[in-house]
Amino acid sequence: MFKEERHLRVSKIKEGTVIDHIKAGSALHVLRILGITGKEGYIVSIVMNVPSKKLGKKDIVKIEKRELNPQEVNLIALIAPNATINIIRDYNVVKKVKVTLPTKIKGFPRCANPNCITNAGREPVKPEFTVISREPLRLRCVYCGRDTTMEDIIKQLSQG
């Protein structure tokens, strides 16, 4: 039998954000939600499908020299409802936040209904949703009543 070795897969960061307990395979979606493409100059570390006692497998994202704002934390809750956000300063965790999905979401994602007023380019109306269900994720557009699911959001993120 092999004895599992515990070792650090990615080095500690001095300043920035660590997003932990992301559902396995979802780290790239988290980066898309944050608008991180790699061209911004941040040092970003991604660890995918690592063992986790809570989740079985998980992803982790480390972003050096960048702290997330509350709106970004709310958006991460759409893709990674069990995520923990750790703010790091001088190699120490100074703030730890468990993401929570708010009851109302504005601005992202787009409504899944192509005929919704929020998808008409000529109208200055931003998407707005009421959270109907957290697991599985279901958002209801306050303008047209159409439901948007996790699959709809991932499709939008994949399209850019």
Side-chain angles (χ1 to χ4, degrees):
M1 294 295 281
F2 290 105
K3 182 179 177 185
E4 185 176 329
E5 288 185 44
R6 293 187 50 91
H7 61 280
L8 198 59
R9 295 180 191 270
V10 179
S11 62
K12 291 183 176 186
I13 62 174
K14 184 176 181 180
E15 311 286 335
T17 302
V18 176
I19 308 165
D20 197 358
H21 302 103
I22 301 168
K23 180 181 169 190
S26 298
L28 297 177
H29 297 309
V30 169
L31 291 178
R32 293 290 305 255
I33 273 189
L34 296 175
I36 295 175
T37 64
K39 297 176 183 175
E40 302 80 14
Y42 300 115
I43 296 173
V44 178
S45 303
I46 303 169
V47 184
M48 299 178 79
N49 296 308
V50 295
S52 166
K53 289 179 183 172
K54 286 184 184 177
L55 303 173
K57 289 183 181 178
K58 68 177 179 178
D59 292 355
I60 303 168
V61 174
K62 294 183 177 187
I63 310 162
E64 294 188 41
K65 298 183 180 172
R66 181 158 187 262
E67 292 185 12
L68 304 184
N69 64 46
Q71 175 67 14
E72 291 172 318
V73 172
N74 288 344
L75 290 176
I76 289 171
L78 289 170
I79 295 297
N82 298 311
T84 304
I85 311 294
N86 298 296
I87 304 300
I88 312 296
R89 294 191 190 128
D90 199 24
Y91 296 103
N92 293 306
V93 176
V94 296
K95 185 176 182 183
K96 188 171 193 161
V97 178
K98 173 108 174 70
V99 300
T100 56
L101 196 58
T103 56
K104 292 274 189 186
I105 296 174
K106 291 184 179 186
F108 178 88
R110 291 187 317 273
C111 180
N113 177 0
N115 296 320
C116 180
I117 190 168
T118 62
N119 287 321
R122 64 189 182 282
E123 299 292 338
V125 181
K126 293 192 184 275
E128 187 175 338
F129 300 92
T130 301
V131 175
I132 301 301
S133 169
R134 286 171 163 66
E135 195 64 41
L137 181 66
R138 201 172 80 199
L139 311 174
R140 182 156 298 145
C141 178
V142 298
Y143 296 101
C144 73
R146 171 100 176 246
D147 285 358
T148 296
T149 65
M150 174 72 77
E151 291 77 25
D152 295 322
I153 294 169
I154 289 173
K155 184 177 175 185
Q156 288 178 33
L157 290 170
S158 299
Q159 294 172 345

